[in-house]
Amino acid sequence: AGEDSVRSGPRSGAGSAVLAEKAAAAGPDEEEDDEASPLFVKLNGIVEDVFKVGLAAAVFCFLAMVALGIVYPSFRGCGEEGCWDFLEVEWLHLIEYMLTAITVLAVAVPEGLPLAVNLALAFSSQQMMAQNNLVKHLDACETMGSATTICSDKTGTLTANRMSVRAVRVGGVTYSAAGDSKRSLGRQLVELLPEKLAHLLAHLICVDTMDESFLEVNEATGATGFKGNPTECALLSLVAEMGYDYAALRHDTPGRSLATAARGKPFMFSSKRKMMSWAVPLPRGGYRVYCKGASEIVIARCDAMLSASGEAAPLSDAKRQQLMETVVRPFAGEAYRTIALAYRDLPGVKSA
């Protein structure tokens, strides 16, 4: 790689390549060990502290026994002739004192503590697996068991893993689920929008969503379940409220159905583009590219906006700024995830 290439953290693709190159150059003996979990870091600290205390206790016991068993008897009853006789000292007691000190040190070292912790985490993983929560690494048990507070963003779906469309801005008019208690948001769109514009909205959502995102109806209870991306499932649920069958629309669209998938081209969502696109062929020739993504990204790429009648009107920079200030930011202020939908017709490519 060149000197001006940018490499990021160790968990990114480029960062992993750099780490692999360093590990290969350093050799197997110099490779960096995996980072220990917080629990085992604290555990190692406790073991070190206990070892230090045990070592201090062993040294203190050894010195005390030497003083009381050797030094003190030798100096007791000292006279003018002196009181220290090297030959009369029972030096064999010194070995006993050393063995006693070593025993104190050995008992103080908690060698079974890491094993007990591993057994506890292993038991925890079994309990989690019984609750359909598969754990591949014991560290995951530690992390989840130590959690006291869960912080999620404003679009988190931790409760039921479901999302719903709460408001739609189309044709210059905002439709809200809270604005009409008698009609769902989907019914409002069908009844108040021109049929052409409502069909275009439903068709755009159905085409520009992944196959892995779909709605599943429980035959026993009749409840509709989400499978796949919660955001896309919420959009598909809106299509269902509008009275359209998303599976039928996908099947009837050349380049989107399984039989004609080779004629279309998907561009999946990425953090760099912040949008997803799907190009499908048009009956009269050419292609139509459907797109959905972050509002600020999609709006910046658009040069026209559909009016209430379904006609395209030019979209100036001032109008873009107005949309951001009067629509996107108020929606974001209500803790909504703002998504923009757009399309563009492209001419066909002539073969050589």
Side-chain angles (χ1 to χ4, degrees):
E3 295 180 356
D4 56 347
S5 61
V6 177
R7 299 186 185 275
S8 52
R11 298 191 180 276
S12 64
S16 298
V18 173
L19 291 179
E21 293 173 1
K22 290 182 178 179
D29 296 334
E30 298 181 13
E31 291 185 5
E32 295 183 358
D33 297 331
D34 294 336
E35 183 179 357
S37 64
L39 178 61
F40 280 91
V41 170
K42 294 181 180 179
L43 189 63
N44 292 334
I46 293 176
V47 171
E48 291 180 0
D49 293 340
V50 172
F51 173 76
K52 293 177 181 178
V53 173
L55 180 60
V59 171
F60 175 79
C61 290
F62 177 75
L63 295 177
M65 286 185 292
V66 169
L68 295 176
I70 297 178
V71 178
Y72 178 72
S74 300
F75 281 92
R76 185 173 56 186
C78 295
E80 298 179 356
E81 299 178 355
C83 55
W84 180 266
D85 191 349
F86 183 81
L87 296 178
E88 293 182 0
V89 175
E90 297 181 3
W91 295 104
L92 291 178
H93 291 329
L94 189 62
I95 299 178
E96 296 179 4
Y97 303 156
M98 293 180 61
L99 293 177
T100 303
I102 293 174
T103 301
V104 172
L105 180 61
V107 172
V109 176
E111 67 278 356
L113 186 58
L115 177 61
V117 173
N118 277 319
L119 290 177
L121 292 178
F123 177 77
S124 176
S125 67
Q126 295 293 327
Q127 295 295 105
M128 295 174 65
M129 187 171 63
Q131 300 178 5
N132 299 324
N133 191 352
L134 182 60
V135 177
K136 296 177 62 178
H137 303 284
L138 293 180
D139 294 352
C141 299
E142 171 195 338
T143 303
M144 298 180 68
S146 300
T148 57
T149 303
I150 298 177
C151 300
S152 61
D153 61 1
K154 62 184 180 182
T155 57
T157 56
L158 295 174
T159 304
N161 198 29
R162 293 174 65 95
M163 298 182 69
S164 61
V165 180
R166 304 299 301 166
V168 176
R169 174 81 173 194
V170 58
V173 181
T174 300
Y175 303 89
S176 174
D180 193 335
S181 59
K182 297 181 179 180
R183 294 180 298 178
S184 64
L185 181 58
R187 296 310 307 169
Q188 295 182 50
L189 295 175
V190 171
E191 296 176 5
L192 300 178
L193 287 178
E195 182 180 359
K196 177 182 177 181
L197 191 56
H199 181 78
L200 175 62
L201 176 62
H203 195 257
L204 195 159
I205 294 174
C206 295
V207 171
D208 199 26
T209 48
M210 299 183 296
D211 292 331
E212 292 78 8
S213 300
F214 59 92
L215 306 180
E216 186 178 57
V217 179
N218 190 322
E219 297 180 357
T221 62
T224 301
F226 288 1
K227 298 295 182 181
N229 184 281
T231 303
E232 293 190 342
C233 289
L235 294 174
L236 294 177
S237 179
L238 175 66
V239 172
E241 290 181 0
M242 296 172 65
Y244 293 94
D245 185 351
Y246 72 91
L249 286 176
R250 288 177 177 176
H251 181 271
D252 296 339
T253 302
R256 185 61 182 85
S257 63
L258 295 178
T260 62
R263 298 175 58 186
K265 177 63 177 178
F267 300 90
M268 294 302 176
F269 179 88
S270 66
S271 57
K272 183 178 181 180
R273 296 178 66 237
K274 294 185 179 181
M275 55 188 292
M276 175 183 175
S277 307
W278 205 301
V280 295
L282 293 173
R284 60 180 182 275
Y287 288 87
R288 171 168 288 184
V289 180
Y290 293 105
C291 172
K292 77 173 189 303
S295 301
E296 64 276 10
I297 301 298
V298 177
I299 292 177
R301 292 176 176 233
C302 293
D303 57 4
M305 182 178 65
L306 295 179
S307 62
S309 61
E311 300 296 329
L315 185 62
S316 62
D317 292 339
K319 187 64 176 179
R320 291 192 188 92
Q321 186 65 25
Q322 182 182 359
L323 283 175
M324 293 297 299
E325 294 180 355
T326 61
V327 180
V328 177
R329 291 177 183 173
F331 280 175
E334 295 292 332
Y336 293 164
R337 172 176 291 177
T338 60
I339 298 176
L341 306 176
Y343 77 93
R344 182 180 181 182
D345 293 335
L346 300 175
V349 179
K350 298 182 180 180
S351 58

